[in-house]
Amino acid sequence: MRLTWVFAILLGLSFFTYMADASATINLQPNSCKILPRATRSPAADCKYESGDVKVSGHGSDWASAFEDAVTQCFEARRARFKAYRGVDSDIETSELLIDSCVNLTCS
């Protein structure tokens, strides 16, 4: 049940990736509202995020999949850190807070 939220978020991001795979795509990087033609997309993308407690680097074929990978790594790292400090796995409410903190990350 704990990972249900993670899978729901990943499913949503995967759906967005599917929907964005048209002749043009929307660049979702912060502070950007450009529509880029397919020819200008990079073949691989990275999403790097670093904070006081976690450092992740997501990789993917496009920005959305790199972001999805970074969010998953962030959640798993924070969940493992929580378990290491508390000695127990996170409950559903704590997992939701961890997910929220990772979904709102900003790639550099």
Side-chain angles (χ1 to χ4, degrees):
M1 183 71 179
R2 286 181 222 125
L3 293 180
T4 303
W5 289 102
V6 173
F7 292 125
I9 290 169
L10 294 178
L11 180 64
L13 288 173
S14 296
F15 177 75
F16 179 78
T17 302
Y18 171 76
M19 294 302 290
D21 192 26
S23 61
T25 186
I26 299 173
N27 183 359
L28 295 178
Q29 293 178 345
N31 302 324
S32 176
C33 295
K34 299 177 183 175
I35 296 181
L36 300 174
R38 181 178 292 272
T40 62
R41 281 195 250 164
S42 64
D46 293 325
C47 176
K48 295 179 183 177
Y49 174 74
E50 183 175 355
S51 70
D53 65 332
V54 66
K55 181 178 180 179
V56 296
S57 180
H59 306 284
S61 60
D62 60 359
W63 188 86
S65 59
F67 180 78
E68 178 180 348
D69 186 38
V71 168
T72 303
Q73 289 180 29
C74 174
F75 173 74
E76 293 299 330
R78 286 188 172 160
R79 189 170 145 227
R81 185 178 171 132
F82 181 88
K83 188 173 184 176
Y85 284 133
R86 302 282 175 104
V88 295
D89 207 0
S90 58
D91 59 357
I92 191 70
E93 290 84 14
T94 305
S95 293
E96 288 174 350
L97 291 173
L98 295 175
I99 290 168
D100 287 344
S101 69
C102 290
V103 168
N104 295 322
L105 63 84
T106 303
C107 297
S108 61

